[in-house]
Amino acid sequence: MKRIPVIAGNWKMNTGIDDAVKLVKTMLPDLEKFSSVEKVVCPPFVSLDAVKKALKESSVKLGAQNLFYEDKGAYTGEVAPPMLAGLCEYVIIGHSERRQYFGETDEIVDKKLKAAIKNGLKPIFCIGEKLEENESGKTELVLLRQLLVCSDHANFSNGIIIAYEPVWAIGTGRAATAAQAEKTIAYIRRVVTEQQGGDIGGAVRILYGGSVTAANIAELMKQLDIDGALVGGASLKVDDFVSIARQASEIKK
Ligand code: PGA
């Protein structure tokens, strides 16, 4: 089954409005050349509107890094799904930094997925195990728990992208090997297949994330089940992000 690869940049809490626009405008001419890969940038909330304008008539898509699950109300500082609908197409949900630093549980992640889907946003749904879970052989168990918590409503045929991001690989410079990432992503695909059938399991796009660079993307993209990458640090460097998108596009052509 043909799955269009995705290279998504998670800018995290970096760039003000001017820098965000400058960054995306510098990348844009090169990114436009790689038509066989879907490109997504996820700047901070405050820059979404300005980056959207910079992306006008471009093939590069826009994503937010988070949302709250209520539609409106007395939730100081939060951003509601209807506020993002129409502004961006994607939204990162369940990133391990949100789980770790902001206390997001599986239940909260589940509510956020539901709210995103209800509002027509496509989640980039992050799952991944911590170092100690990996070392004690619990990786599959943790991923299964994270996947199953949302399986009753998150029909993976409706545009959800899964991002496998081992927590120990994020921002550490210690990426999973291509073989490790492939093995785990193939497992995730099997779980989705068992839950939702072969058509959906074969079609859902599953990305790898965690210390992806221009030097390791090629090996990752050569794997059968890896459909792209969620890139943090390297997505802020024009040459690196362009090179990652170029390699992904060439390999999966
Ligand atoms: P990293 O971050 O590429 O800087 O490791 C990835 C992510 O957190 O999505």
Side-chain angles (χ1 to χ4, degrees):
M1 188 169 301
K2 180 86 180 142
R3 298 182 297 266
I4 297 168
V6 186
I7 296 296
N10 174 9
W11 295 2
K12 308 194 179 183
M13 200 174 69
N14 296 292
T15 67
I17 297 175
D18 291 350
D19 286 340
V21 169
K22 200 167 143 206
L23 181 60
V24 82
K25 281 191 171 165
T26 316
M27 291 174 172
L28 212 47
D30 282 320
L31 291 180
E32 293 289 14
K33 294 178 198 156
F34 317 131
S35 53
S36 49
V37 64
E38 195 174 334
K39 293 105 12 188
V40 184
V41 291
C42 304
F45 282 134
V46 292
S47 301
L48 282 173
D49 188 50
V51 172
K52 181 185 165 76
K53 289 186 179 112
L55 290 177
K56 201 163 173 247
E57 282 161 29
S58 144
S59 64
V60 177
K61 296 178 173 165
L62 189 61
Q65 298 174 18
N66 182 31
L67 48 54
F68 191 55
Y69 47 77
E70 295 292 349
D71 277 357
K72 62 176 181 175
Y75 302 102
T76 303
E78 292 296 324
V79 173
M83 298 172 187
L84 294 176
L87 187 57
C88 58
E89 184 170 337
Y90 286 99
V91 57
I92 298 172
I93 293 181
H95 191 280
S96 68
E97 285 155 13
R98 304 259 359 138
R99 295 180 192 253
Q100 192 177 340
Y101 305 135
F102 303 98
E104 286 194 11
T105 59
D106 284 335
E107 286 66 34
I108 292 172
V109 171
D110 177 42
K111 286 185 182 176
K112 290 188 170 193
L113 282 171
K114 211 179 277 180
I117 294 163
K118 191 181 112 198
N119 284 278
L121 294 156
K122 296 178 185 162
I124 299 175
F125 169 37
C126 301
I127 56 175
E129 83 287 1
K130 298 189 192 121
L131 183 63
E132 60 273 21
E133 293 164 337
N134 180 284
E135 286 175 345
S136 57
K138 296 205 183 94
T139 298
E140 294 190 352
L141 211 65
V142 171
L143 296 175
L144 187 64
R145 190 200 75 220
Q146 292 175 334
L147 275 170
L148 290 192
V149 92
C150 68
S151 66
D152 57 332
H153 61 82
N155 179 326
F156 288 104
S157 65
N158 60 9
I160 295 188
I161 292 175
I162 300 173
Y164 167 55
E165 298 212 308
V167 179
W168 46 269
I170 295 175
T172 58
R174 187 185 153 201
T177 64
Q180 277 174 325
E182 169 64 14
K183 181 169 173 268
T184 309
I185 287 177
Y187 167 75
I188 294 168
R189 196 176 299 288
R190 277 202 306 282
V191 172
V192 176
T193 300
E194 278 160 24
Q195 290 288 313
Q196 306 195 356
D199 286 352
I200 294 176
V204 66
R205 293 182 290 177
I206 312 180
L207 316 184
Y208 167 77
S211 298
V212 170
T213 64
N216 61 22
I217 187 68
E219 270 318 301
L220 290 161
M221 294 306 294
K222 282 180 197 157
Q223 311 303 312
L224 208 62
D225 285 290
I226 302 182
D227 302 316
L230 181 54
V231 186
S235 71
L236 294 164
K237 299 179 195 139
V238 174
D239 291 350
D240 290 16
F241 195 63
V242 165
S243 170
I244 288 169
R246 175 187 298 115
Q247 294 180 63
S249 151
E250 281 165 6
I251 290 165
K252 294 280 185 187
K253 220 186 295 200

